[in-house]
Amino acid sequence: MDEKKIDTLLQLSFRAGKIRFGYENINKVKGGTFVIIAKDLSENTKRYILNRFKGEIFQYKTKEELGRLFGKNQVGVIILPRNELNLKIKEIFKKR
C-alpha cells in the first residue's frame, strides 16, 4: 500500500516540477529538502551524497524501477525540495 502511494505522489510531484534528479544537484539544495536514493546506487555516489548533504536520505527501489516511474532509463538520486506534496512523501517514508 505505502509503495503504491509513494509512487503516485512521486509522479505527481514530478509532473508539478517539484523534483530534481542527479547527485550533481545536491550542492544546490536548501533547507527542508530530503533525498531518495536507489538501493543499487554505487558506493562512491552514496559516499558523495552523505558527505555533501546533511538532510534526510531514504533508500527506495532500484535505479531502473525509479526510472520507470518517471519515464527515464535509470534514476539514482531524487531531490525533493520542501513543499506540501513532498512533505507528504517524507511522512510516509518516516512511517515505513
Side-chain angles (χ1 to χ4, degrees):
M1 172 68 174
D2 281 347
E3 203 168 292
K4 213 171 202 179
K5 192 171 188 175
I6 290 170
D7 290 352
T8 301
L9 290 173
L10 283 172
Q11 288 172 327
L12 282 171
S13 191
F14 173 64
R15 284 190 220 122
K18 305 293 183 186
I19 288 182
R20 288 185 168 185
F21 298 105
Y23 70 94
E24 59 279 341
N25 287 315
I26 288 290
N27 297 325
K28 300 174 187 174
V29 298
K30 297 179 182 169
T33 301
F34 71 101
V35 172
I36 298 173
I37 59 173
K39 290 179 181 178
D40 59 346
L41 198 63
S42 77
E43 288 303 316
N44 286 338
T45 305
K46 284 180 189 176
R47 223 174 295 124
Y48 177 88
I49 292 168
L50 289 172
N51 288 332
R52 300 241 186 315
F53 184 72
K54 301 304 175 202
E56 292 180 274
I57 300 171
F58 302 98
Q59 285 192 341
Y60 186 63
K61 297 194 174 198
T62 65
K63 291 187 284 188
E64 287 183 11
E65 290 171 330
L66 289 174
R68 269 187 249 126
L69 275 178
F70 306 109
K72 300 177 179 292
N73 283 338
Q74 293 185 345
V75 172
V77 179
I78 305 169
I79 301 165
L80 296 113
R82 186 183 183 112
N83 64 54
E84 243 180 85
L85 183 57
N86 290 344
L87 287 176
K88 287 181 185 178
I89 297 168
K90 187 176 184 177
E91 284 176 28
I92 296 169
F93 270 107
K94 284 187 168 188
K95 290 178 185 176
R96 292 176 85 212

